[in-house]
Each structure stands twice: as structure tokens, then as C-alpha cells.
Amino acid sequence: MTSPPVATQQDTIDELLKKSARPSVPIRQGFVQQGRRSELTPGPLATFVRKHDGRGLDLYLLALALASHDPFQAVQPAGVWARALGLRGSSRRAAVSRSWKRLEDLKLVARGRRGRTAAVTLLREDGTGEPYTYLGSRGDGYFQ
């Protein structure tokens, strides 16, 4: 008797993106840069770059892809997030939790629970802590 094949990191990402049913992920420009021409300031992306937090950025981008409709929540077991990030070892779930905490501290997500599983709700990409809304409002510049 053989054991079933274990999903790879790419298999996991592909399946998560397939479930999201989004052909692309729109991201407000405030994630990269905020303010007006004479008073520009870096957005939250600068923190990921400055702190070399590729894992946190990958997790955030996956959450943006998955939370595609109201209430803009991404709910997956920690093991699924860990596999999507390519994490291995006994501390992989704790590493996912620490990454969510960093995203929460940046006011990009709010964390809650759905049973024993973390339920992550998107907040605006600009790090203001405001609720996430569909793009398309006036003045919402974005990229994909």
C-alpha cells in the first residue's frame, strides 16, 4: 500500500489561486507609495524590503489573491500556508503565525479565529488599518 502523494509548494499555490478565481490581483498604489508629488512617502512595501521579509510579502500577496470578496477573509490551516511558503520542519506553523503577526503589526490584516483555524481579514493596502474595500472608488490608483 502506497501513501498518497504530498502536494508540493507549487501544487498548493496553484490550488489556492484556482480557488480564488481571480485572473490577477489588484493592489492599491498606496502599498508602494503614498502622498502627493511634493510629499511622497513610502508605503508598507518599503518595510518588507528594508527588513528583507520576503516570507511576509509572499504571505500577504497570497492573502490578497485569496480574499477576493466580502468579507475579504483568507481562511486556511497553518499547514497549508506553510506549504505554500515552502516551509518545512517542526516550527513551520509557528513561522506562519509570526508572519501573520508582522502583517497585523503593519495594519495590513486583522487576525481572528474560525474554530481552530486562523481567519485573516484584509485591511487597506496603505497600512492605515482601515477596512479593505473593492477597488474602483475615485482616486484609487492601482496596479496588478
Side-chain angles (χ1 to χ4, degrees), residues 20-121:
S20 79
R22 281 183 124 167
S24 63
V25 180
I27 302 172
R28 284 180 179 86
Q29 290 176 348
F31 181 65
V32 177
Q33 185 171 289
Q34 301 171 11
R36 299 283 176 212
R37 290 183 188 204
S38 61
E39 299 173 9
L40 291 175
T41 59
L45 177 61
T47 302
F48 290 104
V49 173
R50 188 174 52 253
K51 295 185 175 185
H52 306 280
D53 189 7
R55 179 183 298 158
L57 180 59
D58 287 344
L59 188 60
Y60 181 60
L61 294 175
L62 273 173
L64 280 173
L66 295 179
S68 59
H69 60 279
D70 200 12
F72 304 107
Q73 282 190 338
V75 181
Q76 294 293 326
V80 172
W81 293 115
R83 191 170 55 244
L85 295 172
L87 302 176
R88 301 184 188 281
S90 60
S91 63
R92 67 188 181 278
R93 286 181 173 89
V96 169
S97 182
R98 287 190 301 272
S99 292
W100 284 130
K101 173 73 170 114
R102 290 193 303 274
L103 294 175
E104 187 177 39
D105 291 345
L106 289 171
K107 297 180 182 177
L108 295 172
V109 300
R111 295 190 302 169
R113 307 273 323 152
R114 189 180 290 171
R116 296 184 62 188
T117 304
V120 177
T121 304

Side-chain angles (χ1 to χ4, degrees), residues 10-28:
Q10 191 61 53
D11 292 338
T12 303
I13 292 170
D14 291 345
E15 188 62 27
L16 290 172
L17 294 177
K18 185 171 130 186
K19 284 181 184 179
S20 79
R22 281 183 124 167
S24 63
V25 180
I27 302 172
R28 284 180 179 86

